Amino acid sequence: DDIARNAVDAFRVNVIHARSQIRSPVTNIARTSFFHLKKANIWITAVTRQNVNAAMVFEMLHKTLALMTSYFGKVSEEAIKSNFVLIYELLDEILDFGYPQKTDSGILKTFITQQGIKTTSAEEQTKITNQVTGQIGWRREGIKYRRNELFLDVLENVNLLMNAQGKVLSAHVSGRVVMRSYLSGMPECKFGMNDKIITENKDKDNNSATDVVAKKKNAGIAIDDCTFHQCVKT
């Protein structure tokens, strides 16, 4: 541990109680870097004296904030005081020597509850260990439903910017596909996307002028900047 206790006081004086507005989410004080987020009147901060990946640190802070929200709802000063022991247990599980580990609330809720760490039998402990350390951490084994159902929701946002003359300056659609699974066991589902079909057609068709014209007329939707859940195989 290369961070001294007085680093907390330095952050409080130079950032929290600073009269000037802090615009940067990263503050360097005495060769110590403070990565901070502010949620209402709560500051969530990561401290390091090494050259670390800033994107990873902020992703970890956002994951921690989402995890606390998943456990006790609104993150406030009263909620943190009431769930101090729970937060300490969560930090002990999601961080190991400062390195992020498991941040999935579904896994953590199997053995950490708002009443403390749940006592389980040896068989249940083995299942939890396999889920946390195994390749499939997002779903536990032995799930059974009376009815096998699968729900898919496509949520889209259309963003359009036009000038006074009606000319389109920029236009794009952002969205996400949300799936709620009630399938027993560990099934494998295959879904086709529009751009995937076009890619397969390009491989099968001949490179003739007629085919090129037909493809331009039937051009599909270009999908880029995609992020997938860890359970998705692309």
Side-chain angles (χ1 to χ4, degrees), residues 130-163:
N130 293 336
Q131 185 178 0
V132 173
T133 60
Q135 295 180 352
I136 304 176
W138 60 88
R139 184 179 176 90
R140 66 180 185 273
E141 296 182 356
I143 298 178
K144 294 182 180 180
Y145 296 99
R146 292 184 178 180
R147 297 176 57 184
N148 288 325
E149 296 178 328
L150 188 68
F151 299 93
L152 278 176
D153 293 324
V154 181
L155 309 176
E156 293 182 327
N157 295 320
V158 180
N159 302 279
L160 177 65
L161 179 62
M162 301 176 63
N163 59 13

Side-chain angles (χ1 to χ4, degrees), residues 2-234:
D2 58 346
I3 305 298
R5 291 282 184 178
N6 56 8
V8 178
D9 297 328
F11 179 79
R12 175 175 53 82
V13 172
N14 292 275
V15 178
I16 298 179
H17 293 165
R19 293 183 179 180
S20 60
Q21 184 178 2
I22 303 298
R23 297 183 178 273
S24 174
V26 181
T27 305
N28 190 278
I29 304 172
R31 297 184 180 180
T32 302
S33 298
F34 296 85
F35 302 81
H36 46 83
L37 299 175
K38 187 178 181 182
K39 178 72 172 179
N41 62 334
I42 301 299
W43 293 80
I44 302 177
T45 310
V47 187
T48 181
R49 301 191 68 178
Q50 301 177 3
N51 185 16
V52 298
N53 188 337
M56 181 194 69
V57 175
F58 282 111
E59 179 68 15
M60 182 63 197
L61 292 178
H62 283 288
K63 288 285 187 180
T64 304
L65 183 61
L67 193 61
M68 290 190 293
T69 304
S70 175
Y71 264 89
F72 46 83
K74 183 179 179 181
V75 179
S76 61
E77 183 178 356
E78 293 77 13
I80 291 178
K81 290 180 179 179
S82 302
N83 297 275
F84 177 78
V85 177
L86 173 63
I87 295 174
Y88 194 90
E89 294 172 354
L90 291 174
L91 292 176
D92 188 47
E93 291 294 334
I94 65 178
L95 290 173
D96 189 8
F97 291 99
Y99 292 94
Q101 301 297 317
K102 288 291 182 181
T103 58
D104 192 298
S105 60
I107 298 176
L108 294 172
K109 284 183 178 180
T110 58
F111 58 96
I112 296 182
T113 65
Q114 289 185 328
Q115 289 75 30
I117 298 180
K118 185 193 302 182
T119 57
T120 57
S121 61
E123 183 179 356
E124 291 177 341
Q125 288 178 358
T126 303
K127 291 182 179 180
I128 293 173
T129 303
N130 293 336
Q131 185 178 0
V132 173
T133 60
Q135 295 180 352
I136 304 176
W138 60 88
R139 184 179 176 90
R140 66 180 185 273
E141 296 182 356
I143 298 178
K144 294 182 180 180
Y145 296 99
R146 292 184 178 180
R147 297 176 57 184
N148 288 325
E149 296 178 328
L150 188 68
F151 299 93
L152 278 176
D153 293 324
V154 181
L155 309 176
E156 293 182 327
N157 295 320
V158 180
N159 302 279
L160 177 65
L161 179 62
M162 301 176 63
N163 59 13
Q165 289 72 33
K167 184 179 179 180
V168 178
L169 301 179
S170 65
H172 68 277
V173 179
S174 61
R176 58 196 180 105
V177 179
V178 181
M179 183 178 70
R180 184 177 293 272
S181 174
Y182 295 97
L183 301 178
S184 302
M186 200 73 66
E188 182 175 345
C189 303
K190 294 183 179 180
F191 301 93
M193 300 294 290
N194 191 37
D195 60 336
K196 179 66 175 178
I197 297 174
I198 293 174
T199 302
E200 292 177 353
N201 290 337
K202 287 182 179 179
D203 296 335
K204 294 179 181 178
D205 295 343
N206 297 324
N207 294 326
S208 61
T210 305
D211 294 333
V212 172
V213 173
K215 289 174 186 176
K216 289 183 179 179
K217 291 182 179 179
N218 300 324
I221 301 174
I223 301 178
D224 56 359
D225 194 16
C226 298
T227 57
F228 298 95
H229 188 267
Q230 54 185 341
C231 68
V232 178
K233 297 179 181 179
T234 57

